[in-house]
Amino acid sequence: MHKSTSGSLGPSGLDLTQAFFKPISGAASPSSTKRHTKISVIGAGNVGMAIAQTILTQDLADELVLVDAKPEKLRGEMLDLQHAAAFLPRTKIIADVDYAVTVGSDLCIVTAGARQIPGESRLNLLHRNVALYRNVIPPLAKYSPDTILLIVSNPVDILTYVAWKLSGFPSNRVVGSGTNLDSSRFRFLIADHLDVNAQDVQAYIVGEHGDSSVALWSSISVGGVPVLSFLDKQEIAYEKETLESIHKVVIDSAYEVISLKGYTSWAIGYSVAALAWSILRDQRKIHPVSVLAKGFYGVDGGDVFLSLPAQLGRGGVLGVTNVHLTDEEAQRLRDSANTILEQQSQLGL
């Protein structure tokens, strides 16, 4: 299923490279220190392929690997992307059902996950995903022991914890996509209310990627102006219920998209590609992503991954931003952590 060998042409495998190109006088062999960036995407479903497509258009990798359990669909997706080569930055695209193809990956993005069966409990679905991860994470760690694992499958916080446990990696090299997309939706809604560009809005959703997430209203700013402080100073009245309603729209956004088109893909594709860019290009940008949160903001009930504003770079998670939280926000964050810990306790890991 691999891409055909570079330089060969025709059924006999005639190598045309040396005949087609003549080396210049005095040329040296390519430097062995030249950086070759390799990204592996595990899971060729709607989310995995949206991520792969976005990575290709943003010229993030020299080599893109796709892995999935369905060989025919996998080959079809690989060919479809390869056929767009004339319109994209040069990237080697290969695909296989064998995890050996991921060897030497700089970043492994895991989107594979079991789908919920009608009437199935959340806990049973979680157990099935843990069983799936037992077949996914160890081979990734085996073939790419220095890679960074970026977990996208849901429930992302718990599965990031599972990936951390199964890989044996240090915590900075296991990160979940978390509330990065939730925060983008949050910024969009605030920008829409104020009629400004979403890029000028600084706003975070933290905690669980789910119903217990926490909107950090106290730290929201637009163009450098703290919103709530500004409203208070200008004696402009606002209702807490209005703020809560915006947060609820964020929580319900994915459900709405799923009800309309059957799945989410494009937004998470751009969100994960942005994380990949920050990591592989060592951008040291702040993203609200799922990290080992023990010891932050009073979260001390056990090892738990949840979203906090974290600095991302070539080493993975470089640190957590010391964002000021109100007492209410900090308590909600701890409650969110306890929600995740309660579910984790039933996994037996």
Side-chain angles (χ1 to χ4, degrees), residues 59-78:
D59 195 15
L60 271 173
D62 300 294
E63 184 174 354
L64 178 65
V65 175
L66 305 175
V67 177
D68 196 274
K70 300 177 180 178
E72 291 185 358
K73 182 182 190 304
L74 187 59
R75 177 169 173 77
E77 295 288 8
M78 177 191 71

Side-chain angles (χ1 to χ4, degrees), residues 54-263:
T54 311
I55 284 172
L56 287 173
T57 58
Q58 295 188 3
D59 195 15
L60 271 173
D62 300 294
E63 184 174 354
L64 178 65
V65 175
L66 305 175
V67 177
D68 196 274
K70 300 177 180 178
E72 291 185 358
K73 182 182 190 304
L74 187 59
R75 177 169 173 77
E77 295 288 8
M78 177 191 71
L79 291 173
D80 209 6
L81 290 178
Q82 287 177 348
H83 295 167
F87 315 114
L88 293 168
R90 185 175 184 269
T91 303
K92 182 180 182 182
I93 304 169
I94 60 176
D96 211 304
V97 296
D98 187 346
Y99 283 84
V101 77
T102 66
V103 65
S105 294
D106 297 284
L107 180 66
C108 291
I109 302 171
V110 184
T111 71
R115 290 192 176 185
Q116 192 165 16
I117 301 169
E120 182 180 28
S121 70
R122 181 184 175 94
L123 181 61
N124 191 68
L125 174 63
L126 182 56
H127 277 291
R128 287 202 296 125
N129 272 316
V130 170
L132 185 150
Y133 263 47
R134 291 186 188 278
N135 295 319
V136 170
I137 302 301
L140 291 178
K142 172 187 174 183
Y143 290 113
S144 301
D146 298 319
T147 194
I148 294 170
L149 293 175
L150 177 50
I151 308 303
V152 183
S153 318
N154 281 317
V156 67
D157 302 294
I158 296 178
L159 290 180
T160 304
Y161 167 81
V162 171
W164 176 55
K165 284 291 189 181
L166 293 176
S167 67
F169 283 3
S171 57
N172 62 296
R173 288 201 286 120
V174 183
V175 57
S177 56
T179 57
N180 195 53
L181 178 53
D182 306 67
S183 296
S184 174
R185 290 166 174 152
F186 193 33
R187 291 168 66 186
F188 161 74
L189 290 169
I190 294 169
D192 195 47
H193 272 71
L194 300 177
D195 195 23
V196 298
N197 191 309
Q199 293 185 358
D200 291 322
V201 178
Q202 187 82 4
Y204 293 122
I205 300 286
V206 298
E208 178 197 20
H209 172 58
D211 295 344
S212 72
S213 65
V214 183
L216 300 186
W217 286 102
S218 65
S219 61
I220 291 176
S221 65
V222 176
V225 179
V227 172
L228 296 192
S229 298
F230 174 79
L231 294 178
D232 289 337
K233 287 179 181 179
Q234 297 296 317
E235 297 183 352
I236 299 174
Y238 62 90
E239 295 183 354
K240 191 174 181 180
E241 289 74 15
T242 302
L243 306 185
E244 293 296 336
S245 67
I246 294 176
H247 181 208
K248 188 176 187 307
V249 172
V250 173
I251 294 173
D252 294 341
S253 291
Y255 301 126
E256 181 182 10
V257 174
I258 291 169
S259 70
L260 292 170
K261 61 176 276 189
Y263 55 89

